Amino acid sequence: MALNWKLVIDSEDAPRVADFWAAALEYEVEDHSALIERLLAAGQIDEAAVTEHHGRRAWRAFAGVRHPDDPHDPVTGVGQGRRLLFQNVPEAKSTKNRLHIDVHAGPGGLDALVDRLEALGATRVTEVDQGPAGHWWVMRDPEGNEFCAS
């Protein structure tokens, strides 16, 4: 039986970088507000663990995004398929990522994808030319994490 998984990405501001990746991938930011309200009411967490983001309760140090077609738990808001989880860590990013996301261009082509990602806050780093095989861009998300657009 195949295992379930999620890609966890260290961040400085999990809700902000989750917003970027949800928009970049056309995913949905997970809504954990009902779970948070229940945990607060039961005294299992305190206000220090949460913040308000886009008008609803959200975890201060975590945020998830999920593919809109994949199932999710309606009670917790947690995705049960293709999912990225962002978690705040105290240290800043200091070296190249050992793992990265490749974002593939759709019908609009690579130029349209790169322009859209830049409008969301990404920056171009290097264009990689593979000759007849094509080219792609190494880019950075708003927190400096490298990814490829191809």
Side-chain angles (χ1 to χ4, degrees):
M1 181 166 95
L3 299 176
N4 290 330
W5 62 273
K6 65 181 165 284
L7 178 61
V8 180
I9 301 170
D10 292 347
S11 61
E12 294 177 27
D13 184 348
R16 180 178 69 97
V17 76
D19 285 345
F20 168 82
W21 281 106
L25 298 174
E26 297 181 356
Y27 273 34
E28 294 179 5
V29 175
E30 294 177 344
D31 180 359
H32 303 139
S33 59
L35 172 63
I36 290 169
E37 292 298 337
R38 278 197 318 282
L39 294 173
L40 284 168
Q44 293 178 306
I45 61 171
D46 61 34
E47 290 288 337
V50 299
T51 188
E52 186 171 312
H53 190 69
H54 298 302
R56 65 183 185 212
R57 295 281 195 152
W59 298 111
R60 182 175 304 283
F62 300 95
V65 301
R66 63 179 177 80
H67 191 284
D69 296 335
D70 289 353
H72 68 282
D73 183 328
V75 175
T76 65
V78 173
Q80 298 171 331
R82 293 164 279 188
R83 180 173 188 248
L84 304 175
L85 178 68
F86 302 91
Q87 65 178 4
N88 287 0
V89 295
E91 68 278 356
K93 181 182 174 318
S94 60
T95 61
K96 181 181 181 292
N97 298 1
R98 299 280 309 214
L99 180 74
H100 68 266
I101 297 171
D102 283 356
V103 181
H104 300 287
L110 181 58
D111 291 338
L113 172 64
V114 170
D115 288 346
R116 186 172 70 80
L117 294 169
E118 285 182 315
L120 293 170
T123 55
R124 295 181 204 212
V125 177
T126 307
E127 185 174 20
V128 179
D129 186 357
Q130 293 292 300
H135 70 282
W136 72 87
W137 281 95
V138 175
M139 301 185 77
R140 287 196 178 106
D141 74 11
E143 289 198 350
N145 296 303
E146 295 90 0
F147 68 95
C148 293
S150 61

